Amino acid sequence: MKKIIGFILTPIFYFCFGLCLLIFHPIQWLSLKLGGYSAHKKSVDILNFFLTYCNCLLLNSVTFIDNKSIPTGQPVIFVANHQSTFDIPAMIYFLRRFHGKFISKIELASGIPSISFNLKHGGAANIDRKDSKQSIGEILKLANNMKTKNWSAFIFPEGTRTRDGKMKSFQLGGIATLLKKNPNALIVPIAINGSYEMIKYGSFPFNTFVKMSWEVLDPIDKTDKTLEEIVLEAEQKIRAKVKNG
């Protein structure tokens, strides 16, 4: 029954999701030209509010458990498990106060309305996985912006999305580079649940009546810990919260 309902609702979801991207592409351009970074960021935040709640068109629920104790006066490296593309809008919107930027595949920085524009002009690190020198340079540029502009970063250390909700082991590379330039940055885990169920049948139809949730956990205490120990602790804390983790 859920799949049948998905056949009916998925075209509506795609229409509304795509319409948001098309509408906000010129809005982003105009905001950046007239108001600079601040105005552009506000337009991106509003866009991601609408993208997040497009999930409700599939009768899916969106629950974001924030952590208001995390300070905004220093860079934060948000470390999350990765279940689908739809993990991202909620993180951008609900954690907008941290000016979080993504490490993204360079292929996404062209050809997609709104999304590509933001990746190009919003401060993301757009990496070419076939070019390690370029990738390191992009991450270092983000790390420097974190230090000078008090930005934060979102990173998916699994390296790729899960197909069944089961987490892969976390990789150190991106976190290590960001921490090297920002040793005082907080490491904050985010546990994501349910979004892989939305794409259970692939890109059509989407699944319905899925409970999607994001939970921001407490920062990792880095005192007297190696990078390996810090990343492993973040992974273990997320795994403990993730269904099928």
Side-chain angles (χ1 to χ4, degrees), residues 7-26:
F7 276 110
I8 298 170
L9 297 181
T10 299
I12 299 172
F13 172 89
Y14 271 128
F15 175 79
C16 293
F17 196 93
L19 185 62
C20 288
L21 297 182
L22 290 173
I23 290 173
F24 274 88
H25 190 90

Side-chain angles (χ1 to χ4, degrees), residues 103-120:
I103 297 174
S104 174
K105 295 186 296 184
I106 196 169
E107 293 85 354
L108 298 178
S110 61
I112 309 172
S114 281
I115 292 173
S116 296
F117 188 92
N118 183 41
L119 289 175
K120 279 185 179 179

Side-chain angles (χ1 to χ4, degrees), residues 160-199:
T160 186
R161 291 169 287 171
T162 181
R163 298 295 180 185
D164 56 7
K166 294 181 180 179
M167 286 175 55
K168 301 175 177 66
S169 297
F170 282 6
Q171 302 171 17
L172 304 179
I175 299 173
T177 304
L178 295 175
L179 268 181
K180 186 175 181 180
K181 288 286 185 179
N182 298 275
N184 296 323
L186 295 177
I187 304 292
V188 177
I190 300 178
I192 299 173
N193 274 293
S195 69
Y196 80 95
E197 295 183 42
M198 178 176 165
I199 56 171

